[in-house]
Amino acid sequence: MSVHSYTKAKYDRSDKMEMGLPDFPSGPLDIYRKKASFNWKEMVMFLEGEDMLAFKQHVFRMLENDPIFARQSGEDMSTERMREVTFRRCKQLFRYDFLTRDDIMANPWRTVVLNDCLGMYDWSLGAKYFLNKGVITLCCLSVPFIFLSSVCMYIYIYIYMCVSVLRIHYTQVNSLFQEFVIHSPDFEAAKFWVGNLGKTATHAVVFAQLYTPDGACHGLHSFIVQVRDPKTLLAMPGVIVGDMGKKLGQNGLDNGFAVFHNVRIPRENMLNKTGDVTPEGHYVTPFKDPNKRFGASLGALSGGRVSISRMAVVNLKLAMTVAIRFSATRHQFGPKDDQEIPVIEYQLQQWRLIPYLAAVYALDYFSKSIFGNFVEFQIGMMMKDNSDRQAELGREIHAISCSSKPLGSWTAQRGIQECREACGGHGYLAMNRLGSIRDDNDPNCTYEGDNNVLLQQTSNYLLSQLHAKQQDGVRIESPLESVNFLEDFDSILETRFTATSVEECMDSAVPLAAYKWLVCFLLRESERRVAKEKASGKADFEARNNSQVFYCRSLSIVYIEHTVVQRFHDQTHDEDTPAVLRPVLKQLCALYSLWTLSNHMATLYQGGYFSGWEPADWIQQAILTLCSQLKDEAIALVDAVAPPDFILNSPIGNADGELYKNLWSTVMQGNKVLERPSWWAEFTSDKPVVGSLRPKL
């Protein structure tokens, strides 16, 4: 099975594509739907495939038809009530059993599709569900099945917990070492922000430093630890566990903290894919080279960041659906006083939104492909592949995920805010959901690692590749080929911008070539900067710390942007990509590539790749031209990625395009909309109030 076989949709242009894809209701959006150069249903089939499309629609129907998932109207719910509702809904999901163990093993992509569906409905629910299902699936494959079964029988919520600063000692029982002791040496070793831990989790997967009886530290390993009694939800002896309180978003999920005081767990509770401890207390690992074990561990820990990269795309899909449909139906001003035009016809609105629509398609394909790579790595772990390639694959996935999470979450963050503003005052109404989408996306920028900190992992990986080539003559290559072009490092740095027109710039090969130069240039400059800092007497830590801004950080960003562009470019030129869809996909690829490249104009001129005014001018004109060309495709493009109206939950984003009817209807359904306030008597009272504003004469 190929790397991408899990995520690659089975495209079929037969009548099957009509199954389960009803036409949208006729309305104001018909004008733009008829202008599209492609059939949106064909795009859906290409993106999803028949099987996954049927699965998504099944999940959406179950949510819409079950009263427990009915959207709450009226006053805002309290945090306590939100958590109760989310928990009850999560229990219902387990009753539905959308994903069996066989389903997951047959096609792991199914887990991502379900997470997409639940996230589009409510990220609190999706997180609560998958912090159970996902942990058991991805982390606990190395635990005896009997143990897992007994755990799953009586807990609904199973948390994923990363406690990297705990100390673990291996203790002696009955002359043999049969227990681990989990201990937090001080309050600073407490772990905060653990999803599900605040109120409901009964067990945790704890990542901690492993110390064996000989005093040796063997680095991070993971362990299953019971934190609450499932019958009472009271904390277990030695465990301090609590709730962190209200957050900016996702308040249906209870985030908590934990501190451990000499908590004993059985030896069997260690998740031992990369290392184990014998009953005699000796550390053993299938990796003879510590660097290989470290690479495998890095790869295993990348799953969260790979998932977050995908979650950011889902959020951007929701926001773009709302903003593009709004822009096609909101009329304002025009060439004549009596003729208003849709705001999507304005160049400024196109420039604000359509590049983010291109980003949806670029990052959607990337997130699918990197998940396929991660599945390949996981299979290698399950098969106990201890090869050099497996370890190197882990390192590469770590480097990619440490930069794809920042790219995805920041792109979504900026894009959602642009959508909010592009919808004017209506975008500020909570009922239209853009505010909650923005708030729910925001933690993607910080959990599983702050974005700016994570980018340092990527630049370290790239610098190590260059160092190995320069110092040891090692060829630069990697399992996923994301760095293979660096083997031509010197010759790429000699290249210059060669396009001669706006039209030529609209071929994604042009920005792709520029990105290769950018990565090489910033890699060289970053290496020189670090060397200069060291030459001034600074230690390695300080030298790297002083080389982030304008150098290593920028290097990591252009590396991941190049990786995304390369994969999207390859997809648009793949023979398996339907010919009828290639033109619009190539336009999207070119726009995304040029739009992201335009952020690096100063560096391109600074390094001499650009010269004169033409390159910048041509790229800017190419961006505007592509935005204009894609304007008539925009509605069909969001139709292909949009969920049903019930899931989208935004009156101004409904598929029928009846903007004002839907908005008015929702407003009038609000709680006490036409009633006077409960404190109306204060308004009408003629009694003086404290701090009267009556002037003194």
Side-chain angles (χ1 to χ4, degrees), residues 179-249:
E179 291 182 324
F180 292 103
V181 177
I182 312 292
H183 183 64
S184 309
D186 50 49
F187 182 75
E188 292 183 2
K191 177 58 183 176
F192 280 76
W193 286 108
V194 185
N196 284 337
L197 185 61
K199 297 294 184 183
T200 52
T202 61
H203 292 68
V205 173
V206 178
F207 285 86
Q209 300 288 345
L210 171 62
Y211 286 80
T212 45
D214 58 5
C217 178
H218 300 278
L220 283 180
H221 289 71
S222 49
F223 305 81
I224 294 177
V225 183
Q226 184 172 349
V227 294
R228 286 188 177 94
D229 184 337
K231 296 180 180 179
T232 65
L233 282 187
L234 296 177
M236 298 297 291
V239 179
I240 300 175
V241 60
D243 187 84
M244 293 186 62
K246 189 174 181 179
K247 309 181 292 290
L248 295 180

Side-chain angles (χ1 to χ4, degrees), residues 16-28:
K16 288 183 179 181
M17 73 179 185
E18 302 292 335
M19 294 172 54
L21 284 175
D23 293 330
F24 290 111
S26 182

